[in-house]
């Protein structure tokens, strides 16, 4: 950008084009609203935000199982999953079907909690499960083992704080929000859809990408075996 143009952004409080705002915010590692608070008051932004929310469920159990299945089965380009254990997924959906999506050309990225990591241990303590959460992660790893070597599928183990579990298929995203002291199943779920000028969907997707970027990977079958063994060894 021309320096004089940027100067007008600052001195005259000019609002840059959306693509320039996004690029600037990414460069400075802040949110756009930190630089241009007026964005949050823009009627178009408010209207788009409301349009993003397709539905709201007070608990994860209230989400129809067919909705979880459809997000996965209808994904053609991208399927992203961010959880600690996420055992509810194998319970409502055969993970082999995730493999079929990948073989059909869909890019699949799966982030599971590192069962020996500090984040899983801390969440287990907060939820009153202790080591039980790590064992749930280990069980989930066993479910995902058969598809780990499938083309277009990459599994990584993360050690980050989980503020929301995410299941995203193309332009549909389910965000299971986490509240301190409550299990994921007790917490609400946002059913979001991608719309023009929407910010919430993109922020959740950006959050996923940030966790993905710091998680070591890809995990191999041997890595999953080792992770499971560490949990069993630790009791």
């Amino acid at each position: 950008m021309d320096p004089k143009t940027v100067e007008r952004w600052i001195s005259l409080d000019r609002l840059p084009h959306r693509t320039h705002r996004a690029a600037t915010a990414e460069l400075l590692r802040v949110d756009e609203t930190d630089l241009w608070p007026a964005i949050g008051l823009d009627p178009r932004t408010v209207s788009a935000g409301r349009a993003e929310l397709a539905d709201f469920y007070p608990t994860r159990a209230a989400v129809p199982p067919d909705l979880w299945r459809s997000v996965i089965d209808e994904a053609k380009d991208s399927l992203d999953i961010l959880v600690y254990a996420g055992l509810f997924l194998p319970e409502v959906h055969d993970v082999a079907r995730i493999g079929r999506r990948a073989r059909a050309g869909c890019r699949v990225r799966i982030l599971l909690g590192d069962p020996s990591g500090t984040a899983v241990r801390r969440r287990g303590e907060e939820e009153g499960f202790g080591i039980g959460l790590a064992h749930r992660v280990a069980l989930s790893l066993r479910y995902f083992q058969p598809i780990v070597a499938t083309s277009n599928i990459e599994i990584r183990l993360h050690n980050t704080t989980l503020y929301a579990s995410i299941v995203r298929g193309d332009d549909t995203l389910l965000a299971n929000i986490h509240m301190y002291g409550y299990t994921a199943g007790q917490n609400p779920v946002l059913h979001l859809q991608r719309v023009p000028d929407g910010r919430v969907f993109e922020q959740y997707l950006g959050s996923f990408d940030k966790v993905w970027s710091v998680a070591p990977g890809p995990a191999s079958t041997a890595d999953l075996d080792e992770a499971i063994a560490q949990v069993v060894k630790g009791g």
Side-chain angles (χ1 to χ4, degrees), residues 86-202:
L87 272 177
F88 70 95
L89 285 175
E91 291 172 356
V92 301
H93 200 294
D94 182 359
V95 296
R97 295 167 75 168
I98 297 177
R100 287 198 287 273
R101 300 310 314 137
R103 287 189 289 274
C106 182
R107 180 195 65 173
V108 178
R109 297 184 297 174
I110 300 173
L111 281 161
L112 299 171
D114 182 344
S116 61
T118 56
V120 167
R121 183 175 69 249
R122 184 181 305 114
R123 182 59 57 88
E125 293 170 352
E126 292 171 354
E127 294 181 354
F129 279 102
I131 192 65
L133 180 58
H135 282 280
R136 288 178 62 82
V137 175
L139 181 57
S140 185
L141 294 178
R142 291 191 185 278
Y143 276 113
F144 283 98
Q145 276 180 315
I147 64 171
V148 68
T150 304
S151 179
N152 289 329
I153 291 181
E154 186 171 343
I155 297 178
R156 297 185 181 184
L157 303 181
H158 71 96
N159 188 33
T160 58
T161 302
L162 196 62
Y163 297 99
S165 297
I166 296 172
V167 178
R168 173 255 181 155
D170 293 341
D171 294 334
T172 301
L173 186 149
L174 297 175
N176 184 190
I177 302 167
H178 292 282
M179 298 180 184
Y180 183 87
Y182 292 90
T183 64
Q186 296 173 304
N187 292 331
V189 174
L190 304 179
H191 176 190
L192 302 173
Q193 57 187 359
R194 178 182 258 155
V195 301
D197 296 320
R199 294 171 51 81
V200 182
F201 185 104
E202 298 300 335

Side-chain angles (χ1 to χ4, degrees), residues 15 21 36-49 197 199:
L15 189 63
R21 296 199 306 264
W36 299 284
I39 297 173
L41 303 177
D42 187 335
R44 292 173 300 179
T45 301
V46 174
S47 178
D197 296 320
R199 294 171 51 81

